[in-house]
């Protein structure tokens, strides 16, 4: 017996459906109840989901299995309203007719869309059915013209046809609600899969050569490692597939049988932990990971992306960056003390102001004018620096390399301001001289508890 | 219309052989340019091979289904190559150009390069992408040109769907084509060639564009094989900074690193400068300017080569005798056809004058009066110069082998540093050389033997025959080191037996013998090895002294050496601020008007208004009071005209002077020296400091 019942659909279809979308019984049955009532007009359904990608598969399968006329559009892909509307119309054309791609329909405005939509419903002979429009990644609609979202919400009203719009989004409806002309959609939440659900779904797709129990044990170990950092089903499935051959190794070699879970666990656990630090973060690619497994080598010799953090810079670029860093994190009033040879005596109590007791690092970089940058540069470089065109172009190229950012306007005449965006570690790596002497925060050790 | 040649002949010097000079210059540059391209190609070969291998593999992984299950479970990631190229952004264009050529030749016709400034939005990116793809289709099949033109004329809908439709149609077309035609294309390209998208400057792309593009294309990855190449200037960390995990998890990123620009430069210097292949040479100062620009400012090999090109042009343009700067045989021929003026030019060369002075008096007279004799001598001198260079580079490489093995590298780690040291002055007179020789005298034996072997190889491979003696000598040294090994063992035995003898004696005797030993150590005779080591070092020293004499000492060096470093510096490392300051502070420097010649401290009223205003503003603080400034200005301007300054001071300022002042101030604002300030009324803020 299927978990969800519906008078209009045969049992076999429902059973098949259940096997396709495990662990979503309640949501599916409520969706089914809505889809079922063909005659009644449901305006819009807002589906809210966290477990992204899986969701569109779900609704898609529902539709195809139940043979409902539907249109499925991804809003990221159709990045302008024009593309979006045209895509809907094109798909609508190909709904009943046999040809794969409908001909191109020019459609510029929402008004045109409503007109063409009505026409199309008549030509396709869909008056008596409810047409479903599914908009995936609906948060993109906010970036389009102001009338698109309200327009879709009131599509039924405007076309006077049986049409249901389903928005799929990762963001709650409250953040979308336009100011005018909106109809409240029916909202349906899809909660995160629980660990039990994940276990069930992942084990469901076990490889044909191994038993379900064996694979379930593997999934159990996998979830034990990864559940704390990742709950994305798609990613977990990917990781499970990547590491499964390693898990099977002892069995293949005949050192352990399928039920020897302890030995299998011992074999895989450290391997999975390594995977969490490397392949999961995309420090090394999946194909590289597979190659390492095949060669049975240590991943140690293959450095991840973060290992190549060092950047080699020309001499003056280095000093410019250091000067920019100092200008960003030292208060301007301390410049005199750090960079002037005869700065006179400054009392320590005055020097460290009370409100600046928090580490400048917690506050982030502050903008500084070009002149201050150059002044600090002149004082930290030992020999004399001529302000040549090359120096200025180096500042600009540091900006294009995103090591500095230009703050506000980029009018060169009006004294540009910059911020330094690199970290202390980065600066330490390139600064060979002792940064300590001229770095304010060393006088002001942060107390983080 | 004036051509390049005309411009060349209009030079400040007499137009001696200007046409020939120009032709020689062009030819030389052509040779050097093709050489640099060859170097570039060789250096990139490894990287490109790796990339092609990666593309091939990524492609096959997408196609072949290892196991049904694995394939279904694994999410289909977009294969991505993160190409770290270093911060020398100006060189990247070259690399990408040759990369896409290589890819088009070997992998796929569908290579697209995108630049951040062309793609402010996802729409532009797709437009650019599809535009380039549709175009390259024309290249593949010329027969279908008409159809393709039609497609591109029709307004393309910029969406991934139409792209995948296009890809389907293109690959199908090649499949159904006549086999005879297909073979030519498919032998180079694969059955379904991947679409390679190169992001030339990853850092400059906005996050949103990249994210959207990756998200969209990941949904179509099963429909056409897409491969991304990220050109990264800083570090691959930028990928994580630009892309959130949800997006980067759609990618299968592999890292590729290009050769560091410093190694690239070292190869370029080795192949272009430290060789007799090209007659043109750079003097120490010029080379130092070029290297400094490279190390201090841009790390750009392209700019280095551009600077080299500039020095070639400048040399042939300004030095009339550069006509002789060509291959030796050709130069000898050209000497015969030199005009009298050119002979005078030779006579006025400082190095030639030095040479004349060292000759006996009859010969001096002949050299200075007879053109034909001069030409004869010049030919032999040119030959000497050529031989000097041949020897110089060989011995330089040999000395470099020695100096790189020393701790702290007193003469520099790179051969270019050593080259600079030898070019400028007699290297053996420097302190660094002295300490290097001291250190050489302390080398261990196995090190010394290895170095000697390397040196012998260098001398053998050098073209000069004059080194056969040197090679023999080196081999003799090596043989003696070999012999030493056998004899030293015998010595050790005798020493140890001596020690045993000492053990038996009583305390008094022991003390005595110890004292004697100490004495003998002080005036100790050198061991055989030490003697030999001294000999080797002295031999090297003699080589250096005889062959590494500075180029300036060579007669006729001006013919092949370009040494006006100042011109080059002015052109390549311009200082706009200083130039502007000089123009405003000392207008005589540019206007060359005698009335403007003035002492340093005072302000002349004959100078242009803007100069007066500028000089006055230099004396002010951060905020400048406009009224005071105007008064000062009018005082300066009227200083000579008005004989009675008191009367002027009390009166209102003349309207014309007021207008002139306002104009000058606004010009100054336009140049970026001041800006209006809101802090105080009637004040402007200064924007520059420190005099320049």
């Amino acid at each position: 017996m299927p978990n969800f019942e519906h008078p209009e659909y045969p049992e076999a279809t429902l059973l098949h459906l259940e096997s396709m979308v495990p662990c979503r019984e309640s949501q599916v049955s409520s969706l089914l109840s809505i889809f079922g009532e063909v005659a009644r007009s449901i305006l819009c359904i807002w589906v809210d989901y966290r477990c992204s990608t899986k969701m569109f598969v779900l609704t898609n399968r529902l539709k195809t299995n139940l043979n409902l006329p539907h249109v499925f559009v991804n809003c990221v892909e159709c990045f302008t309203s024009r593309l979006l509307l045209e895509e809907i119309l094109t798909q609508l054309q190909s709904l009943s007719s046999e040809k794969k791609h409908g001909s191109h329909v020019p459609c510029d405005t929402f008004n045109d869309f409503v007109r063409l939509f009505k026409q199309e419903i008549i030509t396709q002979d869909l008056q008596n059915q409810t047409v479903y429009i599914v908009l995936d990644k609906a948060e993109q609609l906010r970036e389009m013209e102001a009338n698109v979202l309200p327009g879709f919400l009131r599509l039924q009203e405007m076309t006077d046809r049986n049409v249901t719009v389903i928005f799929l989004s990762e963001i709650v409806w409250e953040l979308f609600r336009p100011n005018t002309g909106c109809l409240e959609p029916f909202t349906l939440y899809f909660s995160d899969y629980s660990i039990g659900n994940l276990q069930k779904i992942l084990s469901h797709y076990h490889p044909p050569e191994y038993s379900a129990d064996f694979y379930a044990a593997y999934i159990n170990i996998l979830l034990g490692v990864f559940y704390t950092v990742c709950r994305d089903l798609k990613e977990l499935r990917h990781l499970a597939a990547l590491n499964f051959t390693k898990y099977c190794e002892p069995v293949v070699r005949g050192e352990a049988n399928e039920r020897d879970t302890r030995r299998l666990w011992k074999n895989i656990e450290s391997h999975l932990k390594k995977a969490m630090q490397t392949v999961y973060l995309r420090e090394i690619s999946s194909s590289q990971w597979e190659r390492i497994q095949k060669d049975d080598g240590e991943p140690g010799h293959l450095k991840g992306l973060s290992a190549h953090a060092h950047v080699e810079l020309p001499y003056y670029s280095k000093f410019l960056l250091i000067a920019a860093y100092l200008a960003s994190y030292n208060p301007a009033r301390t410049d005199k003390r750090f960079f002037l040879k005869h700065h006179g005596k400054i009392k320590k109590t005055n020097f460290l102001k009370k409100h600046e007791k928090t580490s400048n690092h917690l506050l982030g970089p502050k903008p500084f004018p070009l002149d201050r940058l150059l002044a600090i540069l002149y004082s930290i470089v030992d020999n004399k620096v001529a302000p040549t065109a090359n120096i200025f172009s180096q500042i600009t190229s540091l900006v294009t390399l995103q090591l500095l950012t230009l703050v506000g306007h980029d009018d060169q005449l009006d004294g540009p301001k910059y911020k330094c965006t690199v970290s202390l570690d980065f600066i330490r790596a390139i600064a060979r001289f002792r940064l300590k002497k001229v770095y304010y925060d060393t006088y002001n050790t942060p107390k983080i508890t | 219309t004036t051509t390049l040649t005309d411009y060349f002949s209009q030079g400040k010097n007499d137009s001696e052989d200007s046409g020939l000079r120009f032709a020689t210059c062009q030819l030389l540059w052509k040779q050097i340019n093709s050489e640099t391209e060859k170097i570039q190609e060789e250096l990139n070969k490894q990287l490109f091979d790796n990339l092609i291998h990666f593309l091939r593999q990524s492609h096959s992984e997408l196609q072949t289904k290892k196991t049904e299950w694995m394939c279904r479970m694994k999410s289909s990631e977009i294969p991505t190559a993160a190409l770290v190229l270093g911060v020398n952004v100006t060189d990247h264009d070259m690399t990408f150009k040759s990369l896409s050529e290589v890819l088009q030749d070997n992998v796929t016709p569908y290579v697209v390069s995108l630049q951040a400034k062309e793609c402010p939005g996802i729409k532009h990116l797709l437009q650019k992408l599809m535009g380039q793809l549709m175009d390259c289709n024309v290249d593949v099949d010329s027969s279908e040109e008409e159809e393709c033109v039609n497609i591109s004329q029709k307004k393309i809908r910029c969406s991934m769907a139409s792209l995948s439709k296009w890809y389907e149609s293109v690959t199908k077309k090649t499949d159904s084509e006549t086999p005879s035609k297909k073979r030519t294309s498919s032998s180079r390209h694969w059955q379904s060639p991947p679409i390679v998208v190169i992001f030339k400057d990853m850092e400059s792309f906005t996050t949103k564009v990249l994210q959207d593009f990756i998200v969209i294309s990941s949904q179509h990855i099963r429909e056409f094989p897409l491969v991304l190449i990220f050109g990264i200037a800083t570090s691959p960390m930028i990928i994580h900074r630009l892309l959130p995990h949800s997006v980067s998890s759609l990618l299968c990123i592999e890292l590729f690193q290009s050769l560091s620009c410093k190694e690239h430069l070292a190869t370029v210097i080795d192949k272009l400068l430290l060789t007799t292949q090209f007659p043109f040479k750079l003097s120490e100062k010029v080379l130092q300017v070029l290297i400094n620009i490279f190390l201090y400012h841009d790390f750009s090999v392209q700019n280095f080569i551009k600077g080299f090109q500039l020095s070639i042009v400048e040399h042939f343009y300004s030095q009339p005798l550069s006509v002789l700067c060509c291959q030796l045989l050709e130069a000898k021929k050209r000497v015969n056809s030199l005009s009298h003026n050119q002979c005078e030019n030779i006579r006025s060369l400082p190095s030639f004058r030095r040479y004349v002075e060292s000759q006996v008096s009859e010969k001096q007279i002949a050299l200075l009066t007879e053109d034909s004799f001069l030409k004869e001598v010049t030919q032999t001198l040119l030959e000497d110069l050529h031989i000097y260079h041949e020897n110089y580079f060989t011995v330089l490489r040999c000395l470099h082998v020695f100096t790189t093995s020393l701790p702290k590298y007193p003469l520099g780690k790179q051969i270019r540093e050593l080259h600079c040291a030898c070019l400028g002055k007699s290297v053996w007179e420097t302190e660094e050389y002295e300490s290097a020789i001291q250190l050489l005298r302390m080398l261990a034996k196995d090190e010394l033997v290895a170095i000697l072997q390397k040196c012998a190889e260098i001398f053998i491979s050098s073209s000069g025959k004059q080194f056969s003696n040197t090679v023999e000598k080196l081999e003799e040294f090596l043989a003696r080191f070999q012999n030493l090994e056998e004899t030293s063992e015998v010595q050790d035995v005798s020493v140890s037996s001596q020690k045993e003898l000492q053990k038996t004696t009583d305390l008094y005797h022991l003390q005595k013998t110890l004292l004697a030993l100490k004495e003998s150590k002080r005036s100790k005779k050198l061991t055989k090895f030490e003697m030999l080591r001294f000999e080797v070092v002295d031999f090297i020293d003699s080589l250096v002294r005889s062959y590494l004499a500075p180029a300036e000492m060579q007669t006729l060096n001006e013919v092949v050496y370009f040494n006006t470093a100042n011109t080059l510096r002015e052109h390549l490392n311009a200082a706009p601020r200083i130039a502007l300051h000089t123009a405003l502070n000392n207008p005589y420097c540019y206007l060359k008007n005698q009335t403007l010649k003035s002492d340093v401290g005072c302000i002349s009223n004959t100078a242009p208004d803007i100069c007066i205003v500028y000089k006055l503003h230099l004396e002010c603080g951060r905020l400048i009071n406009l009224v005071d400034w105007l008064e000062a200005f009018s005082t300066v301007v009227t200083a000579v005209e008005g004989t009675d300054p008191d009367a002027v001071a009390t009166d209102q300022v003349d309207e014309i002077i007021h207008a002139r002042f306002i104009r000058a101030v606004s010009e100054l604002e336009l140049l970026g020296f001041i800006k209006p300030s809101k802090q105080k009324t009637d004040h402007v803020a200064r924007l520059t400091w420190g005099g320049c």
Side-chain angles (χ1 to χ4, degrees), chain A residues 74 77 104 205 238 241 280 282 285-286 288 290-291 308 312 315-316 371 388-390 394 402 414, chain B residues 69-70 74-75 77 87 157 203 219-220 235 245 249 253-255 262 295-297 573-574 675 687:
Chain A
N74 184 332
E77 199 177 328
H104 176 70
Y205 299 98
H238 179 70
Y280 169 66
R282 295 300 186 274
S285 73
S286 332
Q288 278 172 325
E290 281 185 327
R291 244 173 284 149
H308 299 266
E312 226 180 322
Y315 186 80
Y316 282 137
D371 283 329
T388 58
N390 275 331
Q394 265 168 291
Q402 298 218 330
D414 210 13
Chain B
W69 176 80
M70 268 286 248
K74 255 167 55 181
S75 45
E77 296 168 316
V87 293
R157 286 180 70 227
E203 278 88 355
Q219 284 172 355
H220 291 271
S235 81
H245 183 252
S249 67
I253 308 164
E254 257 180 66
L255 191 70
K262 282 181 184 169
L295 288 178
Y296 283 24
H297 293 296
N573 203 4
K675 71 169 183 181
L687 293 171

Side-chain angles (χ1 to χ4, degrees), chain A residues 32-311:
Chain A
L32 271 179
S33 68
I34 295 162
F35 294 159
E37 297 167 43
V38 178
R40 226 189 79 192
S41 54
I42 292 291
L43 300 167
C44 302
I45 308 169
W46 193 271
V47 181
D48 201 329
Y49 64 105
R50 295 283 143 66
C51 243
S52 54
T53 37
K54 193 61 192 144
M55 196 33 232
F56 89 90
V57 182
L58 192 153
T59 23
N60 212 6
R61 281 192 182 146
L62 269 179
K63 298 284 170 40
T64 4
N65 274 317
L66 302 178
N67 247 331
L68 299 171
H70 71 278
V71 167
F72 191 92
V73 186
N74 184 332
C75 294
V76 179
E77 199 177 328
C78 306
F79 42 86
T80 65
S81 62
R82 196 190 135 138
L83 279 174
L84 183 68
L85 300 178
E86 285 175 359
E87 179 68 26
I88 295 175
L89 290 174
T90 324
Q91 283 196 28
L92 203 59
Q93 274 187 345
S94 53
L95 262 188
S96 61
S97 52
E98 287 308 304
K99 57 177 179 174
K100 191 93 169 77
H101 299 287
S103 62
H104 176 70
V105 197
C107 172
D108 276 329
T109 62
F110 211 83
N111 200 11
D112 286 343
F113 174 71
V114 172
R115 184 173 52 80
L116 291 165
F117 188 79
K118 273 161 89 177
Q119 268 178 21
E120 203 53 52
I121 295 280
I122 293 168
T123 49
Q124 300 275 333
D125 200 23
L126 290 169
Q127 289 102 320
N128 300 324
Q129 275 179 293
T130 311
V131 177
Y132 296 90
I133 300 175
V134 186
L135 299 174
D136 191 16
K137 301 252 161 58
E139 55 266 20
Q140 291 290 324
L141 289 176
R142 295 187 297 180
E143 322 251 310
M144 294 180 189
E145 287 89 337
N147 69 341
V148 176
L149 184 55
F152 274 117
L153 285 168
R154 285 181 177 272
L155 192 60
Q156 175 147 40
E157 206 173 299
M158 286 191 286
T159 51
D160 203 17
R161 295 280 178 276
N162 266 339
V163 53
T164 301
V165 184
I166 303 177
F167 301 92
L168 307 180
S169 168
E170 291 179 53
I171 301 173
V172 290
W173 158 246
E174 278 67 32
L175 294 171
F176 278 79
R177 191 179 283 128
N179 292 330
T180 51
C182 87
L183 271 182
E184 287 293 313
F186 171 82
T187 328
L188 192 62
Y189 288 98
F190 280 66
S191 55
D192 274 345
Y193 286 116
S194 68
I195 187 162
N197 287 344
L198 283 174
Q199 166 85 36
K200 199 173 154 194
I201 299 165
L202 286 170
S203 336
H204 183 76
Y205 299 98
H206 65 88
E209 8 352 348
Y210 292 96
S211 73
D213 284 346
F214 178 67
Y215 193 67
Y218 166 64
I219 291 297
N220 198 13
I221 296 169
L222 183 91
L223 281 177
V225 175
F226 281 102
Y227 185 69
T228 43
V229 291
C230 172
R231 297 180 187 191
D232 185 358
L233 184 60
K234 191 177 154 222
E235 184 71 20
L236 282 172
R237 225 162 55 149
H238 179 70
L239 288 166
L242 274 184
N243 296 304
F244 188 58
T245 38
K246 175 81 180 173
Y247 182 70
C248 296
E249 247 173 33
V251 180
V252 173
R253 271 183 286 169
E255 289 169 9
N257 65 9
E258 288 195 14
R259 325 207 60 178
D260 201 350
T261 30
R262 206 186 131 68
R263 179 171 289 181
L264 290 172
W265 176 78
K266 254 189 166 172
N267 176 45
I268 194 74
E269 212 235 359
S270 63
H271 187 72
L272 285 181
K273 281 200 172 140
K274 227 173 267 164
M276 186 160 77
Q277 285 156 10
T278 53
V279 84
Y280 169 66
L281 295 174
R282 295 300 186 274
E283 284 284 305
I284 62 175
S285 73
S286 332
S287 53
Q288 278 172 325
W289 182 250
E290 281 185 327
R291 244 173 284 149
I292 291 169
Q293 276 184 8
K294 211 183 285 168
D295 307 341
D296 209 20
E298 279 291 296
H301 71 273
L302 199 80
K303 284 186 195 158
L305 295 183
S306 316
H308 299 266
H310 182 67
V311 179

